Amino acid sequence: MALRRRLRLRLCPRLSDFLLLLLFRDLVWVTTAAVSWCVQWPCHVQKSTFHRSPPHLPAFTFFPPPTFTTFPERMVEGCLVEAVNLKSSNRNPVVHEFESVELSCIITDSQTNDPRIEWKKIQDGQTTYVYFDNKIQGDLAGRTDVLGKTSLRIWNVTRSDSALYRCEVVARNDRKEIDEITIELIVQVKPVTPVCRVPKAVPVGKTATLQCQESEGYPRPHYSWYRNNVPLPTDSRANPRFRNSSFLLNAETGTLVFSAVHKEDSGQYYCIASNDAGAARCEEQEMEVYDLNIAGIIGGVLVVLVVLVLITLGICCAYRRGCFINNKHDGESYKNPGKPDGVNYIRTNEEGDFRHKSSFVI
């Protein structure tokens, strides 16, 4: 009866081990072998089943060695070489403003009991420390705790906390001493009350534009308009309920444009700005659509023309009657008549009155 033994072998990929296995193939039936490949990364174990078939003919079936996604830097002596490796349970956390969030950084492999841990914040092209020398740094001090050895929890997050955060670990006792992982934190901000502009009165058939704007929410909010508490579609032609209206709503900019208003467009209007963090609305404002009174306009113009004609006739009559001519004469003008240009008057002793002496000067 052939000797059967079960051996659990931990083998390095060396030729001598393989030859030794072949020498004892008639005496040994290996049911399971654990093959460890000696590389810089943590040992990878793959179980292989060895059997002989038929029983009288020893034969071995070998499974291929494990495949590495990253080729190790070098082969080293020994069967176990550790390297520090990091992972995160959530590399893209999304949180609402004023809530708490965890920045996950987990050491999966390391031979160093007390590695050095640092957290850095990357925002607007600048890098600042968040956790350094076992202390929370910067604007996160006072509202950030360390979870375990490497993770962080931020309390009462604000919109300024949206950034890239890098966890860096240095393990001096590992072949690969440094590893890092980057986490992108997104803080969503609820919109504030939007600013709405609604025209108070618009004549029938004219265009009208209603505007709604909000600048605090993140991500950028979408806008919706309501008339008498009824939501308006983006295009009035798409809903038979609004077949008597003609408007277009831009949900990205919050603009509601009527190409030609009708009497049915009168009512109370308000706008809602919303995103994933919440929603906010403005106060209701009334828009009145009125008919143009053509007869009244023509009558008013005729009245103005009649008034202008009457005023003109009155002025003409007054002018003909001499109301605008000054008939009052100054008494001194008879005593001292003005001297015409170029005429000299000389008074003599013999004459008791003025005598003309010189003529006009040409």
Side-chain angles (χ1 to χ4, degrees):
M1 180 178 181
L3 178 62
R4 296 183 179 180
R5 297 180 182 178
R6 293 185 178 180
L7 299 180
R8 183 175 181 84
L9 302 180
R10 185 175 179 83
L11 303 175
C12 289
R14 293 180 293 184
L15 180 60
S16 59
D17 297 332
F18 180 72
L19 294 176
L20 182 62
L21 182 60
L22 293 179
L23 291 175
F24 291 94
R25 68 184 183 275
D26 291 331
L27 301 177
V28 180
W29 180 22
V30 183
T31 58
T32 304
V35 181
S36 298
W37 295 87
C38 306
V39 295
Q40 180 180 353
W41 308 97
C43 286
H44 296 266
V45 179
Q46 176 172 340
K47 292 184 179 181
S48 304
T49 301
F50 297 83
H51 63 277
R52 56 181 186 174
S53 176
H56 65 276
L57 180 62
F60 295 89
T61 302
F62 295 93
F63 286 83
T67 302
F68 298 95
T69 57
T70 303
F71 191 79
E73 295 181 359
R74 58 175 180 167
M75 304 293 291
V76 296
E77 291 296 332
C79 293
L80 183 61
V81 179
E82 291 291 348
V84 59
N85 286 305
L86 301 178
K87 74 173 184 178
S88 176
S89 61
N90 187 2
R91 301 192 63 170
N92 301 99
V94 178
V95 63
H96 294 174
E97 192 175 26
F98 308 124
E99 294 183 354
S100 63
V101 64
E102 177 183 348
L103 304 182
S104 173
C105 180
I106 304 171
I107 299 177
T108 58
D109 301 295
S110 179
Q111 291 295 303
T112 303
N113 294 329
D114 189 18
R116 190 181 73 189
I117 303 166
E118 295 179 358
W119 277 91
K120 296 177 181 178
K121 179 180 180 180
I122 305 171
Q123 187 179 52
D124 299 331
Q126 297 182 352
T127 303
T128 56
Y129 278 105
V130 174
Y131 182 75
F132 177 75
D133 196 18
N134 297 326
K135 295 180 181 179
I136 302 296
Q137 309 286 333
D139 58 350
L140 294 180
R143 56 188 183 97
T144 303
D145 298 330
V146 180
L147 298 179
K149 290 185 177 181
T150 52
S151 299
L152 298 179
R153 179 178 293 278
I154 305 176
W155 302 92
N156 194 28
V157 295
T158 63
R159 65 194 70 189
S160 62
D161 295 330
S162 294
L164 294 176
Y165 293 85
R166 188 168 62 217
C167 174
E168 301 176 359
V169 175
V170 179
R172 298 298 184 186
N173 297 335
D174 295 321
R175 290 283 181 177
K176 179 192 171 191
E177 298 181 352
I178 302 175
D179 196 15
E180 63 182 34
I181 190 171
T182 301
I183 298 174
E184 182 181 9
L185 173 62
I186 298 177
V187 179
Q188 296 180 339
V189 182
K190 178 182 177 180
V192 298
T193 302
V195 177
C196 298
R197 297 181 177 88
V198 179
K200 295 185 178 301
V202 183
V204 172
K206 298 297 182 178
T207 62
T209 301
L210 286 68
Q211 296 179 341
C212 181
Q213 295 179 347
E214 196 278 338
S215 59
E216 297 294 329
Y218 183 86
R220 293 185 60 182
H222 288 76
Y223 301 95
S224 55
W225 276 96
Y226 291 75
R227 182 179 68 196
N228 299 329
N229 296 323
V230 177
L232 300 180
T234 56
D235 190 345
S236 59
R237 295 172 297 181
N239 193 329
R241 184 176 184 178
F242 302 94
R243 61 181 179 270
N244 293 329
S245 299
S246 57
F247 60 80
L248 291 175
L249 169 60
N250 190 328
E252 300 293 331
T253 62
T255 303
L256 177 63
V257 179
F258 290 85
S259 58
V261 295
H262 299 78
K263 291 290 291 184
E264 294 80 3
D265 296 325
S266 297
Q268 299 287 336
Y269 287 83
Y270 65 88
C271 168
I272 294 180
S274 59
N275 61 11
D276 294 337
R281 56 166 286 180
C282 64
E283 295 294 331
E284 292 184 351
Q285 300 182 38
E286 183 178 4
M287 183 178 75
E288 179 186 359
V289 179
Y290 60 90
D291 293 321
L292 289 176
N293 189 352
I294 304 300
I297 295 175
I298 295 175
V301 172
L302 293 178
V303 169
V304 172
L305 291 177
V306 171
V307 171
L308 291 177
V309 170
L310 293 176
I311 293 175
T312 303
L313 292 177
I315 294 175
C316 293
C317 293
Y319 185 79
R320 289 180 178 179
R321 293 180 180 179
C323 296
F324 299 102
I325 299 176
N326 188 6
N327 295 325
K328 183 179 180 181
H329 298 282
D330 190 358
E332 297 295 330
S333 60
Y334 293 98
K335 297 180 180 179
N336 298 316
K339 298 179 180 180
D341 294 339
V343 180
N344 294 328
Y345 295 91
I346 301 175
R347 183 181 181 87
T348 60
N349 294 328
E350 294 83 6
E351 297 175 351
D353 204 348
F354 291 97
R355 180 175 61 86
H356 183 267
K357 186 174 181 180
S358 61
S359 62
F360 292 96
V361 178
I362 298 175

